[in-house]
Amino acid sequence: MPKGDKLLIVENLRAYYPSSKGLVRAVDDVSLEIREGESMGLLGESGCGKSSLALALMGLFERVARFQAGASNDPTLLKQFKAGDKAPVEDRPGVQGKVIFRGKVLTSMTQEELVEIRGKEISLIPQGLTHALNPQHSIGHQTAEPIDIHEDDARLIDMKRRVLEYLGLVRLADAGIRYVLDPGSFSGGESQRVLIAMSLIAGPYLVIADEPTSALDVTIQRQIMEVLRMVKEEFDVSTLLISHDAGVIAELADRVAVMYAGKIQEYGEAVQMFHHPSHPYTMGLMASFPTIAMMRMKAGGKRPRLRGIRGDPPDLTDLPSGCAFHPRCDYCIDICKTETPEYREVEPRHFVRCHRWGEIKQE
Ligand SMILES: Nc1ncnc2c1ncn2[C@@H]1O[C@H](COP(=O)(O)OP(=O)(O)OP(=O)(O)O)[C@@H](O)[C@H]1O
Ligand code: SF4
Ligand SMILES: [Mg+2]
């Protein structure tokens, strides 16, 4: 696929968990696209649905949601699934909508078909190091897993060579000696390097990295950012970088999607989003990160006032009416409380979900 072609297209994607309180609307009518060679950042406060979106893109969400309903043995959860097929799409648990990847509709595929794609064409570096690596297998063995699963004719000797090559590329210290050890002997930063190597080894088109730096201290975060920058510059791969930290996204993303209460509120060029955000939530987010304030000042902007967004994110089982951000928004007017704003393309490839788009200017 030539650079600039659409690699991933997401259309009206919904992913709802069943829960005893009602449906958790974790991904709510999300549409976006990632092009070949692009690095996209997904930004939003904790609990807004970023990891759930990653699971839905990988075709893993439905399994988690159904397993949960089955395992809980809670009649309310099971009822939500049973009633689901007849209910309108906005009231159904599980995944609705479309994910198209390299022309293939992933949301229509069976789990067997998806296994062929996961780890080979799209790979996920999951959030949280603790559960990502199996404590009982050596890191060499785990790094080789994607080739072992997807390449029938892979020879043991070639697999070892490739494992050492990729562990070397992510600069894992003494990889040639330590690849036989289990994950317990590796620090958090080293485990993250192993996960990055594992995500790349089968030559995917898209790597989804879910909060790759958040469990790490500042020095190690910096080192992992350098590895991710090397991946961006040297590998022919598109990336979806998920973080609640705008500073992390600002360093690596070409385009940014800002998520709130399961919905994308603004999506556009990184430069535009950081320097001239259009949505009040994006404005609020950008004003709460010192790294973004510094970046704006360096680019010639005036010294911004640092402040957080008032109030708390909503309960996704009981969303506010109209625009879900309205109870926290300084620009809220009557219509915001009753009507959900549409997700509009206000300029080419710039989408905003706000009734007052164009009227509000960043302070
Ligand atoms: N298995 C689950 N069952 C029910 N609700 C869930 C489940 N997993 C997540 N949620 C809820 O779905 C919402 C979105 O969660 P998600 O993990 O996708 O958010 P996130 O943006 O990735 O947050 P963070 O930045 O903390 O990682 C939250 O309200 C969360 O409590
Ligand atoms: S629609 Fe209204 S409440 Fe929502 S972000 Fe825009 S101005 Fe604020
Ligand atoms: Mg998450």
Side-chain angles (χ1 to χ4, degrees):
M1 239 183 204
K3 273 206 165 19
D5 277 8
K6 291 179 188 179
L7 180 70
L8 178 81
I9 303 169
V10 178
E11 287 175 0
N12 308 106
L13 191 69
R14 290 179 159 85
Y16 300 165
Y17 297 102
S19 91
S20 52
K21 282 176 71 190
L23 291 179
V24 182
R25 295 171 200 280
V27 177
D28 203 6
D29 198 13
V30 163
S31 297
L32 45 87
E33 62 182 43
I34 302 180
R35 297 198 179 183
E36 191 72 19
E38 226 166 45
S39 170
M40 184 188 140
L42 180 63
L43 176 66
E45 288 163 295
S46 182
C48 72
K50 304 179 299 293
S51 298
S52 304
L53 175 57
L55 288 179
L57 297 180
M58 297 292 291
L60 293 168
F61 186 97
E62 186 87 25
R63 239 174 34 178
V64 172
R66 280 194 185 268
F67 175 76
Q68 196 158 306
S72 73
N73 237 344
D74 177 336
T76 14
L77 267 65
L78 292 166
K79 221 161 85 194
Q80 283 167 24
F81 260 105
K82 282 203 182 111
D85 291 346
K86 288 175 227 106
V89 283
E90 56 276 15
D91 289 324
R92 284 186 210 166
V95 174
Q96 310 293 326
K98 246 184 190 178
V99 176
I100 306 165
F101 178 71
R102 303 184 69 233
K104 293 174 274 198
V105 185
L106 301 192
T107 31
S108 307
M109 284 187 174
T110 60
Q111 283 300 324
E112 289 71 36
E113 289 167 326
L114 285 166
V115 166
E116 294 299 312
I117 289 178
R118 279 198 293 261
K120 180 164 186 268
E121 298 191 30
I122 310 181
S123 54
L124 172 69
I125 304 171
Q127 180 172 7
L129 294 164
T130 340
H131 304 295
L133 290 167
N134 183 334
Q136 289 175 343
H137 291 297
S138 73
I139 58 112
H141 177 88
Q142 294 185 66
T143 310
E145 234 166 55
I147 20 182
D148 195 20
I149 293 172
H150 295 292
E151 296 176 24
D152 295 339
D153 53 352
R155 294 190 3 241
L156 213 54
I157 184 93
D158 292 335
M159 287 207 311
K160 181 179 165 193
R161 181 188 52 73
R162 266 164 78 185
V163 164
L164 293 180
E165 181 195 344
Y166 276 79
L167 292 176
L169 281 170
V170 296
R171 304 200 173 77
L172 181 75
D174 293 326
I177 309 166
R178 295 167 77 211
Y179 76 99
V180 289
L181 302 177
D182 64 47
S185 339
F186 293 81
S187 68
E190 287 177 329
S191 301
Q192 196 58 270
R193 285 174 198 265
V194 172
L195 288 171
I196 297 173
M198 204 189 289
S199 77
L200 293 167
I201 199 162
Y205 298 92
L206 175 66
V207 173
I208 303 176
D210 192 357
E211 302 278 4
T213 59
S214 36
L216 307 169
D217 71 42
V218 180
T219 324
I220 308 298
Q221 270 187 10
R222 174 92 344 255
Q223 294 173 5
I224 295 299
M225 290 299 286
E226 287 314 314
V227 176
L228 293 171
R229 189 186 305 286
M230 177 278 294
V231 171
K232 178 176 168 159
E233 285 165 6
E234 294 179 23
F235 283 77
D236 192 13
V237 64
S238 301
T239 49
L240 171 57
L241 174 65
I242 299 177
S243 181
H244 62 273
D245 183 338
V248 168
I249 301 263
E251 286 208 29
L252 292 168
D254 306 317
R255 297 179 61 73
V256 179
V258 172
M259 194 170 192
Y260 184 78
K263 287 183 160 60
I264 303 297
Q265 305 292 342
E266 186 167 1
Y267 176 37
E269 288 287 334
V271 174
Q272 179 173 39
M273 304 284 282
F274 290 115
H275 294 280
H276 308 287
S278 297
H279 192 287
Y281 179 61
T282 321
M283 291 176 194
L285 261 191
M286 299 308 172
S288 40
F289 287 96
T291 35
I292 303 302
M294 292 293 291
M295 194 176 91
R296 283 179 175 167
M297 275 169 61
K298 277 190 195 152
K302 60 177 185 181
R303 176 189 285 272
R305 200 155 51 94
L306 269 182
R307 59 193 170 113
I309 304 171
R310 66 182 163 85
D312 295 313
D315 175 350
L316 300 188
T317 59
D318 186 19
L319 289 168
S321 57
C323 169
F325 186 54
H326 88 250
R328 306 175 72 187
C329 181
D330 293 336
Y331 304 95
C332 173
I333 53 174
D334 282 349
I335 188 178
C336 307
K337 297 177 189 167
T338 53
E339 282 183 35
T340 308
E342 272 176 44
Y343 183 59
R344 276 186 298 161
E345 187 166 17
V346 294
E347 300 166 82
R349 300 198 76 203
H350 181 203
F351 295 80
V352 182
R353 194 187 269 281
C354 173
H355 288 300
R356 301 192 66 191
W357 177 81
E359 285 174 47
I360 302 167
K361 290 278 171 283
Q362 175 196 317
E363 286 167 31

